[in-house]
């Protein structure tokens, strides 16, 4: 067979490649983003309780009411944003499914979508699969600030969607209020929609505030907001997230969601609905991850890597030009195979990578894991 590929230039994701390489070579895996510590045993207990109670069949297509209500309450408490649980909240198979279904629901062939690069790897292939055209705005290290005039220059009658990722993976920056003022001006009186990937919403450092699109009525009315329980509760393998959007957008979103997955793992939803009432769990995230960030930054300061201080997310970018002249992909492979620390080349997040020597470390790890990795990394000077 010779299928006519819809994504002829696409290979396997960099996260899969690097995690496989790490496993094959017994390397400490700081590549793919997931914690190496367990989630709360109480959450596991709540989910097993639901399983034992026989809550093992299909949930409603949009998610169980209890969970949608808790999500809606949380969004109101934190951002004073109202989303009606029955018509504006949809529980999804992770942030990924929410992003994919939103793109599938609104991107028509020939539509243009503005994406900021470095960009999370899912956006571009999903947009292209539905015939959309990516107009990339390239952000540059170390500050990765958005030039809003460049964004303005890319807007046309074909612009359907702007994709935001805040806090940003892999750039680790957090948008400020001025960024949102610019965005509001740009989309005002237009039909442009926004897809706001906020999966790292609670992981912001140094007392920063996370501004959600849902905070700004002029943005909220045109936005799909995507969140993930994987990041919130250290359960990346459970693949549960959600999409918040005004009713008119949710209607379109659910047309795709219902045939993409129909519904999501029922007992996990019951467990999460109960666990979500404990605010202290997610309110502890900034300090939990800031400690890890600082520990890892302090360690790297003794090495040849030049770290860029993360404002948010659980990733850290570092320049390795003092250590090696290899390109980012070859350096990442060399570090994994020869020195047993796996990382992600930042070039994987650009369609046309700039000339730079940056790798991404995931520091969502136990202190002992970070310590072992640092022991190796400081010797590379
Ligand atoms: N968006 C970003 C920026 C991510 O880093 C990830 C991966 N963790 C996702 C979306 C996907 O989230 P999930 O694992 O819940 O599908
Ligand atoms: N979000 C994770 C990361 O950035 C990867 C998730 C995945 O492998 N798709 O590392």
């Amino acid at each position: 067979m010779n299928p006519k590929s819809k994504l002829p230039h696409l290979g396997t994701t960099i996260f899969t490649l690097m995690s496989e390489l790490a496993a094959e070579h017994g390397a400490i895996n700081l590549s793919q983003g997931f914690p190496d510590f367990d989630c709360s045993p109480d959450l596991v207990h709540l989910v097993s309780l639901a399983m034992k109670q026989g809550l093992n069949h299909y949930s409603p297509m949009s998610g169980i009411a209890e969970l949608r209500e808790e999500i809606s309450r949380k969004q109101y408490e934190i951002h004073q944003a109202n989303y009606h649980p029955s018509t504006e909240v949809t529980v999804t198979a992770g942030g990924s499914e929410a992003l994919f279904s939103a793109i599938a629901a609104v991107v028509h062939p020939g539509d243009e979508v503005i994406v900021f690069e470095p960009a999370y790897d899912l956006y571009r292939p999903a947009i292209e699969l539905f015939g959309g055209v990516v107009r990339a705005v390239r952000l540059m290290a170390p500050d990765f600030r958005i030039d809003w005039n460049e964004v303005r220059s890319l807007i046309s009658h074909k612009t359907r969607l702007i994709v935001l990722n805040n806090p940003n993976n892999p750039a680790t920056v957090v948008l400020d209020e001025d960024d949102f003022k610019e965005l509001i001006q740009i989309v005002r009186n237009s039909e442009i929609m926004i897809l706001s990937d906020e999966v790292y919403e609670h992981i912001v450092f140094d007392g920063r505030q996370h501004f959600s699109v849902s905070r700004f009525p002029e943005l909220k009315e045109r936005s799909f907001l995507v969140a993930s329980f994987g990041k919130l509760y250290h359960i990346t393998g459970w693949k549960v997230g959600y999409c918040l959007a005004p009713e008119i957008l949710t209607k379109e979103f659910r047309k795709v969601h219902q045939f993409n997955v129909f519904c999501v793992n029922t007992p996990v939803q019951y467990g999460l609905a109960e666990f979500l009432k404990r605010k202290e769990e997610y309110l502890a995230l900034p300090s939990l991850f800031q400690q890890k960030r600082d520990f890892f930054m302090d360690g790297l300061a003794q090495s040849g890597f030049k770290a860029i201080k993360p404002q948010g997310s659980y990733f850290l970018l570092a320049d390795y030009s003092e250590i090696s002249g290899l390109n980012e992909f070859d350096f990442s492979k060399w570090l994994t195979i020869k020195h047993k620390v796996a990382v992600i080349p930042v070039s994987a997040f650009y369609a046309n990578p700039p000339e730079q020597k940056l790798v991404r470390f995931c520091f969502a790890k136990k202190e002992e894991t970070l310590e072992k990795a640092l022991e190796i990394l400081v010797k590379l000077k």
Side-chain angles (χ1 to χ4, degrees):
M1 288 300 292
N2 186 13
K4 191 173 171 212
S5 176
K6 294 189 78 176
L7 297 165
H9 306 296
L10 200 69
T12 305
T13 84
I14 191 69
F15 308 120
T16 303
L17 290 180
M18 294 313 297
S19 272
E20 278 179 5
L21 200 65
E24 189 187 334
H25 293 276
I28 301 170
N29 191 358
L30 305 187
S31 66
Q32 193 178 23
F34 61 91
D36 71 344
F37 45 90
D38 209 357
C39 65
S40 161
D42 290 1
L43 180 54
V44 174
H45 174 72
L46 288 167
V47 172
S48 25
L49 208 63
M51 284 180 173
K52 284 178 191 149
Q53 286 167 350
L55 298 165
N56 296 309
H57 294 288
Y58 294 129
S59 82
M61 179 270 278
S62 57
I64 63 164
E66 292 86 337
L67 181 54
R68 282 183 280 116
E69 277 156 21
E70 284 305 321
I71 291 168
S72 169
R73 182 196 51 73
K74 172 176 182 281
Q75 202 67 19
Y76 184 77
E77 272 186 23
I78 298 178
H79 299 288
Q80 295 75 56
N82 255 316
Y83 287 94
H84 197 287
S86 56
T87 52
E88 301 186 313
V89 180
T90 310
V91 180
T92 61
S96 305
E97 191 253 320
L99 292 165
F100 193 88
S101 292
I103 289 168
V106 299
V107 173
H108 297 250
D111 282 352
E112 293 187 357
V113 182
I114 293 182
V115 170
F116 299 96
E117 286 187 343
Y120 185 57
D121 66 343
L122 179 153
Y123 311 144
R124 181 182 281 270
I127 293 161
E128 291 177 351
L129 198 55
F130 296 100
V133 177
V134 172
R135 304 297 305 268
V137 177
R138 197 197 250 197
L139 311 181
M140 297 300 292
D143 60 348
F144 297 101
R145 292 326 297 179
I146 295 177
D147 175 352
W148 289 102
N149 284 331
E150 187 181 346
V151 178
R152 263 184 205 96
S153 75
L154 293 178
I155 301 281
S156 76
H157 65 282
K158 291 188 184 162
T159 312
R160 176 77 61 185
L161 191 67
I162 299 177
V163 182
L164 294 182
N165 177 206
N166 179 39
N168 187 288
N169 171 19
T172 77
V173 289
V174 176
L175 296 178
D176 60 31
E177 211 168 354
D178 286 341
D179 289 311
F180 286 98
K181 283 187 189 151
E182 295 272 10
L183 181 61
I184 289 169
Q185 274 186 10
I186 288 174
V187 296
R188 189 172 283 158
N189 301 324
S190 81
E191 291 296 316
I192 299 170
M193 288 171 277
I194 293 166
L195 176 56
S196 185
D197 179 345
E198 303 186 10
V199 301
Y200 299 101
E201 61 188 316
H202 289 285
I203 312 180
V204 289
F205 307 130
D206 307 314
R208 268 187 191 79
Q209 188 181 0
H210 167 247
F211 288 102
S212 165
V213 280
S214 63
R215 238 171 218 276
F216 306 93
E218 283 182 87
L219 299 179
K220 178 177 180 278
E221 66 177 15
R222 59 179 74 237
S223 294
F224 296 93
L225 190 165
V226 170
S228 168
F229 288 110
K231 313 292 150 164
L232 201 64
Y233 291 140
H234 324 305
I235 47 168
T236 58
W238 290 13
K239 296 300 295 186
V240 183
Y242 53 93
C243 175
L244 305 178
E247 183 169 356
I248 192 161
L249 298 187
T250 294
K251 240 183 178 159
E252 295 305 313
F253 179 87
R254 288 183 183 172
K255 286 182 191 174
V256 177
H257 167 78
Q258 66 184 345
F259 293 122
N260 194 354
V261 294
F262 181 68
C263 70
V264 174
N265 190 322
T266 303
V268 165
Q269 292 188 61
Y270 278 101
L272 285 169
E274 196 49 39
F275 202 67
L276 206 46
K277 293 180 181 151
R278 307 185 195 176
K279 290 182 234 169
E280 64 282 3
E281 294 285 339
Y282 54 79
L283 294 179
L285 289 177
S287 72
L288 171 76
F289 285 116
Q290 186 165 323
Q291 256 172 20
K292 293 186 184 298
R293 178 201 67 171
D294 292 346
F295 180 78
F296 196 57
M297 287 262 309
D298 288 350
L300 274 190
Q302 316 305 315
S303 78
F305 287 92
K306 278 205 199 76
I308 300 174
K309 192 175 188 180
Q311 300 176 347
S313 83
Y314 48 47
F315 303 108
L316 178 147
L317 300 183
D319 177 288
Y320 61 83
S321 47
E322 267 183 33
I323 298 169
S324 168
L326 289 173
N327 70 39
E328 292 178 358
F329 189 65
D330 289 342
F331 179 77
S332 302
K333 278 198 341 201
W334 172 79
L335 195 58
T336 308
I337 296 170
K338 181 124 195 269
H339 296 285
K340 314 286 182 219
V341 179
V343 293
I344 299 283
V346 175
S347 52
F349 301 94
Y350 290 90
N352 295 303
E355 269 300 314
Q356 60 190 12
K357 299 213 174 329
L358 282 182
V359 286
R360 190 196 78 172
F361 292 93
C362 171
F363 59 78
K365 305 291 171 189
K366 293 179 208 148
E367 199 164 303
E368 67 200 65
T369 309
L370 296 176
E371 219 161 19
K372 275 189 205 146
L374 285 167
E375 265 171 37
I376 299 169
L377 298 173
V378 294
K379 290 192 195 126
L380 296 175
K381 277 198 255 199

